[in-house]
Amino acid sequence: QVQLVESGGGLVQAGGSLRLSCKASEATVNRYTMAWFRQTQGQNRVFLAAIGPNGVDTSSTESVKGRFFISRYRVQNTMYLQMNNLKPEDTAVYFCAASRLYLRYDPTQYDIWGQGTQVTVAS
């Protein structure tokens, strides 16, 4: 079973940037769609962006378009989320996930998850 490990979270001031990483334990992840979700306490996980196995096709939610950018570096089995112009409402735990299905936004269609990394944006 592929394992995913997120890193790069932390505390940042509003308007700042962070880059999250998601490292997979096996190269088989390169056959999967990978995605980023976030979750605040008491809420469901919310889709942010997904990237297809080819590393070119992407999908993202409107609320982060123009601010968050997803990419993947297949050679290192790693996916990234570049987050710019961060806002206090971006504060959440960020999860990466992998799915055999193509560019889905529904978290129930992702079967491999990382443990999450906390992002806190101070105003």
Side-chain angles (χ1 to χ4, degrees), residues 35-37 44-47 97-113:
W36 290 98
F37 293 79
N44 294 327
R45 290 183 185 180
V46 175
F47 172 80
S99 172
R100 292 177 178 87
L101 303 175
Y102 188 71
L103 291 182
R104 302 302 172 98
Y105 60 88
D106 183 347
T108 66
Q109 295 180 319
Y110 286 79
D111 45 15
I112 304 172
W113 290 87

Side-chain angles (χ1 to χ4, degrees), residues 29-35 49-59 70-72 74 79 99 101-104 110:
V29 76
N30 291 328
R31 296 188 230 129
Y32 289 62
T33 282
M34 296 186 75
I51 187 164
N54 63 6
V56 175
D57 299 333
T58 63
S59 174
I70 190 170
S71 61
R72 68 192 296 174
R74 291 167 53 87
M79 175 181 64
S99 172
L101 303 175
Y102 188 71
L103 291 182
R104 302 302 172 98
Y110 286 79

Side-chain angles (χ1 to χ4, degrees), residues 24-101:
S25 58
E26 300 175 17
T28 52
V29 76
N30 291 328
R31 296 188 230 129
Y32 289 62
T33 282
M34 296 186 75
W36 290 98
F37 293 79
R38 68 186 178 191
Q39 186 174 27
T40 54
Q41 197 157 6
Q43 302 297 315
N44 294 327
R45 290 183 185 180
V46 175
F47 172 80
L48 297 176
I51 187 164
N54 63 6
V56 175
D57 299 333
T58 63
S59 174
S60 61
T61 190
E62 283 297 320
S63 64
V64 302
K65 280 184 178 176
R67 294 194 304 127
F68 291 10
F69 301 93
I70 190 170
S71 61
R72 68 192 296 174
Y73 190 34
R74 291 167 53 87
V75 171
Q76 294 186 342
N77 310 329
T78 302
M79 175 181 64
Y80 302 97
L81 186 68
Q82 177 66 42
M83 305 188 294
N84 300 326
N85 190 23
L86 283 161
K87 305 174 182 180
E89 51 265 41
D90 294 318
T91 295
V93 179
Y94 284 68
F95 295 89
C96 66
S99 172
R100 292 177 178 87
L101 303 175

